[in-house]
Amino acid sequence: MKTRRFLVSTRMKAQQGIALLEALLAIVILAIGVIGTVGLQARSVSALADAGQRVEAAIAANKLLGVMNTDFANLNGYTVAAGAAPPARLAAWHAETVRQIPGASIAVAVTPGAAAAAPATVDITISWRRKADTPTNSHRIVSYLAGSQ
């Protein structure tokens, strides 16, 4: 009887602290999951900001195409090289675009059609960098304006 009590007592001592160990292991697993969730949230916010700037670039390019579509006679007045000062016809649009997309570099190239009835080609490229240590993002639209000659 005494031996049996000794064995039960020894087993109970061997089991002491196991609940604490299980609790610590659960906390470590929970912490890893929370850190992963926070990382996913940060990447989601970053991707959302990039998408917002890409949308602004698409809207700005389409807005410029609409303006150019109504001003066929002066298409060459909309040409600007990346980083250059915009011409007078492009100044207001350029200022608005740079306000919407901070640090944007804008290039607009207009190539007249080969024949009198051929459409002019308009190539609009808007580039930006969301943060200093990230790669440059770029949105490019190539469109053809028919009846521009």
Side-chain angles (χ1 to χ4, degrees), residues 32-49:
I32 290 170
V34 168
I35 289 171
T37 302
V38 168
L40 284 173
Q41 182 67 26
R43 291 198 40 117
S44 171
V45 167
S46 175
L48 185 62

Side-chain angles (χ1 to χ4, degrees), residues 1-16:
M1 185 83 146
K2 193 173 184 181
T3 312
R4 187 166 187 199
R5 245 190 240 158
F6 176 72
L7 287 175
V8 171
S9 171
T10 305
R11 280 191 203 146
M12 289 178 71
K13 285 182 182 180
Q15 293 293 320
Q16 286 180 343

Side-chain angles (χ1 to χ4, degrees), residues 8-114:
V8 171
S9 171
T10 305
R11 280 191 203 146
M12 289 178 71
K13 285 182 182 180
Q15 293 293 320
Q16 286 180 343
I18 197 73
L20 181 61
L21 184 61
E22 287 176 354
L24 288 174
L25 186 60
I27 289 171
V28 167
I29 291 171
L30 179 66
I32 290 170
V34 168
I35 289 171
T37 302
V38 168
L40 284 173
Q41 182 67 26
R43 291 198 40 117
S44 171
V45 167
S46 175
L48 185 62
D50 285 341
Q53 288 181 331
R54 189 168 304 280
V55 166
E56 290 296 335
I59 290 170
N62 286 330
K63 189 175 191 178
L64 178 61
L65 285 172
V67 170
M68 292 173 77
N69 200 29
T70 61
D71 194 13
F72 290 138
N74 301 306
L75 285 182
N76 288 334
Y78 292 95
T79 301
V80 64
R89 292 190 181 284
L90 205 54
W93 174 84
H94 190 276
E96 180 183 353
T97 302
V98 170
R99 190 176 68 249
Q100 295 292 331
I101 307 167
S105 173
I106 300 166
V108 179
V110 178
T111 307

